[in-house]
Amino acid sequence: RSRVKQALQGPGGGGGAGPARGPLGLHLPPAMAGRNLGAGPEAGGAEPGRRLGPGMETGPGMDGGLGVEGVPGPGPARRRFYTCRCFYTDNIFLEEFRLHVSRATPVQELRAMLRNKGCKTEEQFEGVQAKIDGEVQRRRSLGRASVERAAIISARYKPLNPAVYVLQESFLAPEFRAIVAYCRSEDADFEGLLDRIQSLPAQRVYSLPVFTLDFCAQLLEELDNFQRSGLPAGRPNTMNNHGVLLNELGFDERFVTTLREDYLHPITSILYPDCGGLGLDSHKAFVVKYATHQDRDLSFHYDNAEVTLNLSLGKDFSDGNLYFGDMRQDAVSGGESVEVPHQPGYGLLHRGQHCHGALPIAGGERCNLIVWMRSSQLRNHQCPMCDRQPQLEHADGYGDGFTGPPSPDHRPHPGNNCSLT
């Protein structure tokens, strides 16, 4: 716990997707303090009258069986997805100051923020402004650059093991297959699922075996082979510098989408019905790498997701545990963070708005597979990053999970607001 406290008391806060104010006072933009996450009606996947997470029960008013607009198993080829305009200007992480800023922040306010973090000279400030402008331009070109990289990889890369690109049941731990089978059964409920997975000290964070160790080793071998190829790879997110975007390698449709729709959806429908778990219709998936000579840790943050799967693929490493604090909307209320160990082959499921970080790795290398799962019906009403109705811009693939403006007659269900306790 002292290591967690030390990490949280660092100079500012950060995140893979957005900043957070930790229990010990990390930075949170004023517009985010005390905000709740508006929730739209969920898409289906649960039996009527079936008991789900705390305080939730499906009934005639909640859809069952089909995805958004009656389309089963939606994917990027079936619907157009969008990005909220805030992605291009907000939550810009300044690594040297461990601080998130917005391009729209008034100059004098930005000067004051940076001065408190040690930015004293005009030359330093101009350098920071140049970094902010450069990051805005980088984000503007991300979609085009990702498509170009994917085309290069498709044309030039020779996979070491093509079989790993298509999800097979043999890759899955027997315990995970049994958990999914239970969740698909008619008598599945929240209490029964908790008997089959591990509930961790951090609230509504769960651990469960997902992949076999043999498959983890095969996937790591494939990723190492790609790294040795020298072909271009995009940054996993706005904070991690080392890793790979799985869609660029060709894992999206026949691996990650299958994992989300066929295996994770039955579980999230029961664990997180109030936070989008019933209607997770898109994702962003990537692998991050931690090493003593590269990214050693990850600052306190929240994810651009309704539900996150964080799965340890392994390699030999020491330390580097995850830690969880409050929900983003409660992050000003105080409280302690909880350190959570991570073991190869196991995945952690948590709400995307649950603030968390990764402690420094002490030795070796650690690779984690991350899947940010998103519900368009939830985020179409309110962007989870800027807390406003999203200002939509066209995007490639799944974008950031938005599918369009909410229907005028589609109002958030009063029972579906994301629980903050």
Side-chain angles (χ1 to χ4, degrees):
R1 181 156 295 180
S2 62
R3 292 191 301 161
V4 175
K5 185 174 292 187
Q6 195 173 44
L8 290 172
Q9 286 177 324
R21 186 185 193 89
L24 301 174
L26 299 183
H27 175 70
L28 181 71
M32 295 182 179
R35 289 293 192 91
N36 202 338
L37 179 63
E42 308 295 340
E47 307 292 336
R50 180 174 167 189
R51 285 179 296 147
L52 302 172
M56 292 296 298
E57 183 170 337
T58 59
M62 297 182 70
D63 214 1
L66 292 178
V68 179
E69 298 175 358
V71 181
R78 296 187 178 96
R79 286 187 294 161
R80 176 170 289 281
F81 285 82
Y82 300 85
T83 292
C84 179
R85 194 173 299 166
C86 73
F87 171 75
Y88 302 111
T89 58
D90 295 358
N91 298 319
I92 295 174
F93 185 56
L94 302 176
E95 188 169 4
E96 63 269 42
F97 301 108
R98 294 283 184 171
L99 182 70
H100 275 84
V101 298
S102 169
R103 182 66 181 83
T105 302
V107 172
Q108 292 306 316
E109 183 180 336
L110 181 62
R111 283 182 186 274
M113 292 169 58
L114 292 172
R115 192 177 298 117
N116 290 334
K117 298 293 183 181
C119 180
K120 303 296 185 182
T121 69
E122 184 64 23
E123 183 179 6
Q124 285 179 307
F125 182 72
E126 289 177 356
V128 170
Q129 284 188 308
K131 287 183 180 180
I132 293 172
D133 291 340
E135 176 63 10
V136 170
Q137 293 304 313
R138 186 188 74 85
R139 294 185 186 191
R140 282 285 179 189
S141 64
L142 275 180
R144 182 181 69 254
S146 183
V147 170
E148 292 173 354
R149 285 193 299 267
I152 293 172
I153 293 168
S154 178
R156 301 182 186 176
Y157 179 60
K158 183 178 180 181
L160 179 68
N161 184 0
V164 301
Y165 289 80
V166 180
L167 185 63
Q168 303 173 37
E169 288 230 332
S170 61
F171 299 165
L172 304 174
E175 302 93 331
F176 181 68
R177 299 202 300 268
I179 291 167
V180 175
Y182 170 77
C183 292
R184 290 172 177 165
S185 67
E186 292 184 1
D187 59 346
D189 61 20
F190 181 70
E191 291 78 11
L193 178 54
L194 288 190
D195 289 338
R196 292 164 169 81
I197 62 177
Q198 184 180 3
S199 183
L200 298 176
Q203 194 168 48
R204 299 185 74 178
V205 179
Y206 307 99
S207 174
L208 67 167
V210 178
F211 292 141
T212 66
L213 293 180
D214 182 62
F215 171 70
C216 289
Q218 291 181 51
L219 182 56
L220 287 173
E221 287 177 359
E222 183 64 38
L223 296 175
D224 286 343
N225 186 63
F226 172 74
Q227 187 177 31
R228 289 191 296 269
S229 74
L231 291 170
R235 286 178 61 183
N237 54 58
T238 59
M239 286 190 65
N240 289 97
N241 296 298
H242 301 278
V244 66
L245 293 162
L246 291 180
N247 66 305
E248 295 183 0
L249 266 66
F251 279 95
D252 232 14
E253 281 306 299
R254 295 197 291 171
F255 189 101
V256 182
T257 298
T258 303
L259 179 65
R260 169 174 57 80
E261 292 181 346
D262 294 349
Y263 296 95
L264 295 174
H265 178 263
I267 299 172
T268 63
S269 295
I270 296 176
L271 292 179
Y272 305 109
D274 53 333
C275 301
L278 288 164
L280 300 171
D281 53 359
S282 69
H283 61 261
K284 176 178 179 178
F286 49 91
V287 171
V288 293
K289 179 182 176 183
Y290 297 93
T292 53
H293 58 288
Q294 296 178 340
D295 291 332
R296 294 188 64 237
D297 58 9
L298 188 62
S299 296
F300 202 55
H301 67 281
Y302 58 91
D303 298 338
N304 186 356
E306 272 65 68
V307 179
T308 293
L309 172 70
N310 185 327
L311 192 148
S312 175
L313 294 174
K315 289 205 171 182
D316 293 325
F317 62 90
S318 57
D319 290 345
N321 283 342
L322 301 180
Y323 59 95
F324 287 84
D326 294 319
M327 288 294 287
R328 173 175 72 101
Q329 299 88 341
D330 282 351
V332 294
S333 65
E336 293 193 7
S337 289
V338 177
E339 186 172 340
V340 174
H342 218 1
Q343 55 182 313
Y346 278 69
L348 299 179
L349 282 171
H350 65 85
R351 294 164 289 175
Q353 301 288 291
H354 197 160
C355 296
H356 59 285
L359 292 166
I361 192 169
E365 293 183 4
R366 190 186 83 189
C367 291
N368 284 43
L369 188 157
I370 313 296
V371 184
W372 288 350
M373 294 176 280
R374 294 154 168 173
S375 166
S376 63
Q377 288 204 11
L378 212 67
R379 57 183 50 215
N380 283 350
H381 286 275
Q382 183 172 317
C383 172
M385 305 308 293
C386 66
D387 291 331
R388 298 186 293 265
Q389 184 169 328
Q391 301 179 60
L392 301 178
E393 296 198 5
H394 290 282
D396 294 301
Y398 284 122
D400 276 340
F402 303 93
T403 56
S407 172
D409 59 348
H410 227 172
R411 295 287 180 260
H413 190 285
N416 285 348
N417 288 333
C418 188
S419 173
L420 305 181
T421 59

